[in-house]
Amino acid sequence: MYAQMIKSEATQDDPEKLAAFQARIDAGEKIEPKDWMPEGYRKTLIRQIGQHAHSEIVGQLPEGNWITRAPTLERKAILLAKVQDEAGHGLYLYCAAETLGVSRDEITEMLLDGRMKYSSIFNYPTLNWADIGAVGWLVDGAAIMNQVPLQRTSFGPYSRAMIRICKEESFHQRQGYDAIRKMAEGTPEQKKMAQDALNRLWYPSLMMFGPSDKDSVHSAQSMAWKIKMNTNDELRQKFVDQTVPQAEYLGLTVPDPDLKWNEERGHYDYTDPDWSEFFDVIKGNGPCNVDRLAARNKAWDDGKWVRDGLLAHARKKAARKHAAE
Amino acid sequence: MKNEWPLWEIFIRGQHGMSHRHVGSLHAPDAEMAIKNARDVYTRRNEGVSIWVVEANHIAASSPSDKGPLYEPSESKVYRHPTFFDIPDEVGAM
Ligand SMILES: [Fe+2]
Ligand SMILES: [Fe+2]
């Protein structure tokens, strides 16, 4: 998902405190920043919320890439609003992470020097306008699958950030589906572009949910703590079941020859993505890893004089006011 | 980090005359910029008509360990709720 392969940190706390903490979570209580919490819970959450925040921020790059080249002024305004929302999502999540005792600069620097990750999906390029439609439809669609249950996560600030985010996500997915629908219903050439976008983005979208459950070793503790609400395969299946009819409506073909409805299971059978590609992208070898990190580093470095200047101005103003009192 | 912008807590009053409500936080160099940023971050869809910003380190908060002494005394005072009293039906709405 936006947070993939989050390893639960081991916890070495007083067993009695741990049991009381687990009882609170089992009773559906929210854990708030000043409450006692296991060190492992705190660290795992910083990593998970941080990775989620980084994904929102880095996720602006593939879409921002098309703002100036949107086909109409209306599409441009819509895409601009969508990308602005993603900046907001990043900010809500950074603030939630900060309540756990990590500073904004620290967490930003961990992204910039590669100590923290963002979702593998944003290491794929957006080659043409059809990709922008496909990203809203598929990538935001996949994100929603994971974010809706996370509204009930045990950590209060994370849950509240998720509630705000979910309110805005449906616009993202719908504008994407609307954009790709225009192309699927357009000229044969446009329809071909829509199909091509689906072909390229289908498996990377399935990868967003993380490795298959049988290879996903870190889930149990996170699920007990209610910071992971469903298994990777559960969410992936749900996404496939929801998306296939949407593709059919568009007259597009999901690029999986073995995809078929399984009457007995009540789900689609589908082909897993190529996991070696996924691990390779995670390691830094996707088509855009280098570009994405370079763009974030450049933005951070180029913005330094603005951050410093505004702070210096604020301090000077405060000192002047203080002197006048 | 000494050059990190301070954290501000953001409170917004919605359209319908309710009190300002805490909606989240953000970093800004000063109050003026905090209000401008709060407008962009927290009111993109008409969520509010008034914004308060308070620097986070100016907020004093009760601590979780005081939960017992602070809130338990009110638990035993059920007579503070109107439903404690039986009013005969004949009397009508009260
Ligand atoms: Fe988002
Ligand atoms: Fe989104």
Side-chain angles (χ1 to χ4, degrees), chain A residues 21-89:
Chain A
F21 179 78
Q22 190 61 49
R24 288 190 63 195
I25 289 184
D26 294 342
E29 281 183 43
K30 293 282 182 235
I31 308 302
E32 294 298 336
K34 284 179 152 187
D35 295 349
W36 184 86
M37 62 184 77
E39 213 26 45
Y41 178 85
R42 200 180 64 81
K43 282 192 185 152
T44 307
L45 265 179
I46 289 178
R47 196 176 304 160
Q48 178 173 334
I49 300 173
Q51 193 180 117
H52 195 157
H54 298 326
S55 299
E56 302 283 354
I57 298 300
V58 176
Q60 294 178 98
L61 296 168
E63 291 185 293
N65 179 31
W66 279 90
I67 289 173
T68 55
R69 293 177 287 170
T72 66
L73 183 57
E74 186 183 58
R75 292 283 173 198
K76 180 176 178 167
I78 291 169
L79 185 58
L80 196 57
K82 198 260 187 200
V83 172
Q84 192 190 14
D85 275 353
E86 305 299 5
H89 296 179

Side-chain angles (χ1 to χ4, degrees), chain A residues 282-306:
Chain A
I282 291 272
K283 261 188 243 141
N285 303 322
C288 299
N289 296 60
V290 173
D291 282 2
R292 299 297 186 233
L293 265 192
R296 287 314 305 153
N297 272 286
K298 183 177 181 325
W300 179 249
D301 295 342
D302 289 355
K304 185 177 178 355
W305 70 271
V306 179

Side-chain angles (χ1 to χ4, degrees), chain A residues 138-298:
Chain A
L138 300 172
V139 175
D140 290 81
I144 291 171
M145 281 292 153
N146 171 263
Q147 291 176 158
V148 166
L150 273 176
Q151 293 178 101
R152 293 178 285 110
T153 186
S154 61
F155 186 55
Y158 192 24
S159 155
R160 292 189 283 273
M162 278 297 122
I163 290 169
R164 286 195 74 85
I165 287 174
C166 284
K167 273 190 196 152
E168 299 174 348
E169 282 298 350
S170 158
F171 151 59
H172 298 178
Q173 192 186 15
R174 293 175 72 136
Q175 65 82 32
Y177 193 71
D178 186 66
I180 201 158
R181 199 179 117 189
K182 270 275 174 333
M183 300 196 70
E185 292 171 354
T187 64
E189 216 182 349
Q190 287 173 321
K191 182 163 185 183
K192 227 172 116 191
M193 284 174 73
Q195 180 63 54
D196 166 64
L198 176 58
N199 290 349
R200 281 179 293 105
L201 286 163
W202 174 255
Y203 286 106
S205 299
L206 294 190
M207 291 178 200
M208 287 175 68
F209 299 93
S212 160
D213 291 350
K214 56 184 193 301
D215 305 314
S216 178
V217 285
H218 310 305
S219 296
Q221 178 63 80
S222 288
M223 290 187 78
W225 278 336
K226 290 191 192 161
I227 58 185
K228 187 179 171 88
M229 309 299 284
N230 305 86
T231 74
N232 298 348
D233 285 337
E234 268 167 34
L235 291 173
R236 189 164 19 244
Q237 181 72 64
K238 232 176 138 188
F239 174 74
V240 171
D241 290 348
Q242 178 190 285
T243 310
V244 170
Q246 296 168 350
E248 274 166 8
Y249 179 87
L250 298 174
L252 300 179
T253 310
V254 172
D256 177 356
D258 295 326
L259 182 87
K260 64 169 190 304
W261 179 252
N262 183 327
E263 193 64 56
E264 211 173 294
R265 291 201 308 125
H267 293 291
Y268 282 94
D269 291 335
Y270 63 93
T271 308
D272 258 344
D274 172 1
W275 291 118
S276 63
E277 176 181 324
F278 170 75
F279 288 111
D280 211 34
V281 171
I282 291 272
K283 261 188 243 141
N285 303 322
C288 299
N289 296 60
V290 173
D291 282 2
R292 299 297 186 233
L293 265 192
R296 287 314 305 153
N297 272 286
K298 183 177 181 325

